[in-house]
Amino acid sequence: MATFFGEVVVASSRAGVDDEEEAREETPEDREIRRELEKKREIDVLWTLRSGATTESCADEPFACSKFIVAIGRNAAAFLSSFILDSVYWEVVGVVKLWNEWCRTSSTTNVLPTDSFCLFYRLISDPTVLLCQCSCYVAEDQQFQWLEKVFGCMRKEGLQVTILSTCPVADYKTQESTLTLPSPFLKALKTKEFKEQVCCPLLEQPNIVRDLPAA
């Protein structure tokens, strides 16, 4: 049971196993297909943090990051482009390449702005401030891998993470009529470690966050 609203909890699965599937043995061809599919769905994170060289890891040790702002979805990514990236000086320092049912990235290793990528930007005047525009779809089986590879390159001490995402007003659960709500409007969830003042009202129960923002 969650101790506060918004806490991530792991629930036990009640899903059963079909008797026929349980009895069916996996053939060598099935195993090969599964391995190839798993390999194709692996996520690659490319960084150009030092000397302009592109690497597929975080080099020798995790880099310092004080603030990490992640915009997930096309609307949130467009908000960053319109109100943040055009107002100050940023440089592209990383990219996520992935493949799934709804996202096809190319095999190039160049870090170039494109809708197919998750792009990372660094504030030139303060290299510890990073932004991420993630406008492509990250499948459920890829979300943990995305988090592990991206946050595995950052030092966790003193790191403040802000997630921006959107959802349709029709999905917002409230006793009021959604016709009277201002659109768009902003709500927030926070962890108990966040001690600063929240810039907008907190999200009410039973509303939840899904997919990569929740992860």
Side-chain angles (χ1 to χ4, degrees):
M1 180 180 293
T3 56
F4 65 96
F5 180 61
E7 181 182 6
V8 177
V9 295
V10 179
S12 57
S13 174
R14 298 181 180 178
V17 179
D18 187 87
D19 293 337
E20 293 182 1
E21 290 190 5
E22 187 177 21
R24 179 178 177 270
E25 293 184 1
E26 189 178 40
T27 65
E29 291 79 9
D30 292 338
R31 287 193 293 269
E32 182 64 24
I33 292 174
R34 179 169 52 81
R35 281 195 297 266
E36 289 297 325
L37 186 58
E38 290 175 352
K39 184 177 180 180
K40 193 171 185 179
R41 295 178 74 89
E42 287 182 359
I43 290 177
D44 294 321
V45 181
L46 308 177
W47 296 100
T48 57
L49 292 169
R50 298 178 179 87
S51 67
T54 302
T55 61
E56 294 189 7
S57 65
C58 46
D60 298 331
E61 60 181 15
F63 55 82
C65 184
S66 60
K67 289 182 174 60
F68 184 40
I69 302 174
V70 187
I72 300 175
R74 294 189 178 274
N75 290 334
F79 174 81
L80 283 189
S81 296
S82 300
F83 296 99
I84 297 182
L85 291 175
D86 285 348
S87 60
V88 288
Y89 295 101
W90 301 83
E91 60 179 349
V92 178
V93 294
V95 63
V96 174
K97 292 168 43 182
L98 54 89
W99 180 96
N100 56 47
E101 297 82 357
W102 299 100
C103 181
R104 303 287 192 271
T105 62
S106 64
S107 58
T108 179
T109 58
N110 295 328
V111 180
L112 297 174
T114 170
D115 288 340
S116 298
F117 289 144
C118 296
L119 283 175
F120 299 97
Y121 294 85
R122 178 171 59 186
L123 183 62
I124 296 177
S125 59
D126 184 357
T128 67
V129 178
L130 294 181
L131 297 180
C132 174
Q133 282 185 305
C134 184
S135 57
C136 61
Y137 173 73
V138 182
E140 289 185 5
D141 62 312
Q142 296 175 316
Q143 292 170 9
F144 177 76
Q145 188 182 166
W146 193 99
L147 296 167
E148 187 178 43
K149 292 191 174 182
V150 171
F151 285 95
C153 291
M154 302 177 187
R155 297 176 188 166
K156 306 303 187 297
E157 298 80 8
L159 173 60
Q160 183 184 98
V161 181
T162 302
I163 310 295
L164 304 175
S165 65
T166 59
C167 69
V169 175
D171 292 345
Y172 180 62
K173 297 176 177 61
T174 177
Q175 294 181 348
E176 304 176 25
S177 171
T178 55
L179 297 176
T180 63
L181 294 172
S183 182
F185 60 90
L186 189 64
K187 298 285 184 175
L189 284 175
K190 69 181 185 69
T191 63
K192 57 186 177 183
E193 287 79 12
F194 186 81
K195 304 301 181 183
E196 300 180 17
Q197 183 176 358
V198 182
C199 64
C200 62
L202 294 178
L203 185 66
E204 308 91 347
Q205 298 188 47
N207 293 284
I208 60 175
V209 178
R210 298 181 175 86
D211 301 322
L212 187 60

